[in-house]
Every structure is written in C-alpha cells, then in structure tokens.
Amino acid sequence: MNTQLLEYIIAIAEEKSLTKAADRLLLTQSALSQQLKKLEKELGTKLFMRSKNEMILTDAGKIYVNNARSVLGIYYNALENIRNLRLSGRKEIKIVYNNTLLPHFAQEVIPQFSSIYHDIFISTINGNASVSKDYLNTGITDIAVVATNELSHSMLEYIPVRKEEMLLVLREDHPCVSIFREDGVNLALLDKEAFIVNEAGSHMLTMEKEIFHNYQFVPQRIYEISDLDTAKHMVLNQEGITFLPRYMMQEKDGLVSFSLTPPAYFHIVIAYHKSITLSRPVKDLIKLILESSDGETVDE
C-alpha cells in the first residue's frame, strides 16, 4: 500500500504551508504542489483554500484528512502486528543510523547492551533521514537516529539526543581564513571553490541548501558524498569546502571552522513510529544511546 499521498496531505494540513510541509517531507515545493493539484483534480474538489498566507482545509479537505489518519492508523497497526509476528521467532533489534551522528555507538553502546541482553542481536543499517523515515513507516526497523530541524512529526515520535551546530570548514592555510576571522563568513569569496555536500534525501543537504539560500550564494561546483568523514578528508586534500557538525571539529587536524550567520543548528534524535509500543530491550538501548551522548550538546 502506498501511503505517501495520505502523508503529504496530512503534512500540508498540519503545517498550513506547502513550503514547510515540503521541508518536512524532504520534497521540493513544486513536487508537493503537483501531487496536491493531481489529487484535487481526481477528486473534483479543492482540499485547501488560502487565507492570510496559510493553507486552510475546506470541508472536503477535513473529510479527506480525518479518513487519511484513520487509514494510516489501521495500516501501521497492521504493520506492527506483522512485525511482532515476524520477530516472535527471533530476538533482534534493528536500528538505522549514520556513524557520524553516533560515533560511539559501535564501540560503546553495542557492547554495553550485549552485556545486559546476551541473546538479543542488534542489526544496524546505514541510512539518511529519508531512508530512516521509509524504514520506520514500513516496520523494517525498530528505531532510527536522524538529524532534523523539528522535534515533532506527524507519524514519528522523537527523543532528543543532542543539539548540534553546522560549521563552515576550510583548510587552516586557506587564504580566506584570516578574512573570515576578522569580518565573518562571506561565501561570495568562495565562488571559485568546489563545495562538498551531502547526498540527496539527507537532512544535512536540506540544511546546506538553506545555508546557500541565506547567503544568496550558488556554488559553481558541487561534490556529493554520503559520509561526513569523507568530506573532512577531501577538505584536507584541498578538494573543496564543506560544512561539518561542531562535534567533528574537536580534533581540528589542520582544519579551521566558522559559525554561520544565522547559526545553523539542528537536532539529532532517536525516532520510532507512533503506532508501536517500545519493548524493554529497545528502551534500554535508547537509554544507553542517550547516556553515551551526554555532554555533547552545543550552546546557542
């Protein structure tokens, strides 16, 4: 069953804005607008009307959204029952995460968990925010660790792990370092540089696009990567400029970082689907993740 269209309309109704709903869904505004227009054409009626720059549900829209929520509730409840049946013959916890978001997970968290639950296996899947959302919605994984700007979601429950700041990162011998130290970051001075950005579907790429927008800057060359450590090494090898979370700059290794204007903050959260009830082992795993991240938050 394809539930995406139902989630799209619910997101627009909750955000009351195509732009905000598109950001939440990791879509472009035009793509989301086309989906809405197509649905309204099929239904032969408008689901939203504009009022003071807000998207307000029509009577037909209210009927659609109420029933969409009911359908999704039934669907995800069925997925959860199937997942429980699937897991009844084996003891396994699946988690989607990126190692750069949880650097201590494999070395610290998994061994601690295994010392408590000897018979439960932790299966890890590397994935970004888009992959995590799909896997959580379809019941493939139990929990995910993702980056996000918002601490609430229509379908997912979020447990905050820590707050992070995205920084501009250059080699310490870059000619713009002294200028940025004196006058602040000016991306226009980097117009000849290649920018190393994150892969499509990741929240990091959404943030990077917002940074470019805030500075009214369009990079001439872009390298897309799937791993922040790779971006760090590419900067060291003079292959471009990148943005990295502050926690990755604890060991500078020949790099210099700068805060942006406005500062680019985001949250790292543990996500799970609202339709499920967390088991005791999953709750204990979450507790260990939170404990391993104590003291890593940043201040505004």
Side-chain angles (χ1 to χ4, degrees), residues 76-87:
Y76 289 124
N77 184 60
L79 285 180
E80 174 61 12
N81 290 335
I82 293 170
R83 188 183 69 87
N84 290 336
L85 179 64
R86 175 174 57 84
L87 295 177

Side-chain angles (χ1 to χ4, degrees), residues 185-203:
V185 171
N186 181 359
L187 293 188
L189 299 178
L190 302 173
D191 61 333
K192 303 299 183 184
E193 301 278 0
F195 274 78
I196 304 157
V197 301
N198 283 269
E199 62 184 346
S202 67
H203 178 73

Side-chain angles (χ1 to χ4, degrees), residues 125-137:
I125 303 169
N126 183 55
N128 58 31
S130 180
V131 171
S132 298
K133 180 177 177 293
D134 288 342
Y135 281 22
L136 288 168
N137 283 338

Side-chain angles (χ1 to χ4, degrees), residues 165-170 179-181 183-191 195 206-220 241-243 257-265:
E165 180 184 9
M166 190 73 93
L167 305 172
L168 176 71
V169 177
L170 299 82
I179 299 174
F180 292 172
R181 281 176 173 161
D183 303 323
V185 171
N186 181 359
L187 293 188
L189 299 178
L190 302 173
D191 61 333
F195 274 78
T206 301
M207 286 193 67
E208 288 158 346
K209 288 181 177 179
E210 184 176 349
I211 291 169
F212 292 141
H213 175 76
N214 289 339
Y215 279 88
Q216 299 182 336
F217 176 79
V218 179
Q220 299 303 307
I241 308 297
T242 196
F243 302 99
S257 60
F258 297 91
S259 290
L260 300 159
T261 304
Y265 290 107

Side-chain angles (χ1 to χ4, degrees), residues 51-113:
S51 175
K52 295 181 180 178
N53 297 321
E54 287 188 343
M55 301 284 286
I56 306 299
L57 285 168
T58 62
D59 289 341
K62 292 175 183 177
I63 293 173
Y64 187 94
V65 169
N66 288 338
N67 283 277
R69 288 186 172 124
S70 297
V71 169
L72 286 176
I74 294 171
Y75 174 62
Y76 289 124
N77 184 60
L79 285 180
E80 174 61 12
N81 290 335
I82 293 170
R83 188 183 69 87
N84 290 336
L85 179 64
R86 175 174 57 84
L87 295 177
S88 61
R90 60 177 179 172
K91 295 182 178 180
E92 179 184 31
I93 296 175
K94 286 191 175 182
I95 175 173
V96 180
Y97 84 106
N98 187 303
N99 186 59
T100 54
L101 297 182
L102 285 183
H104 308 302
F105 185 74
Q107 294 80 12
E108 297 180 10
V109 177
I110 291 181
Q112 290 179 48
F113 181 85

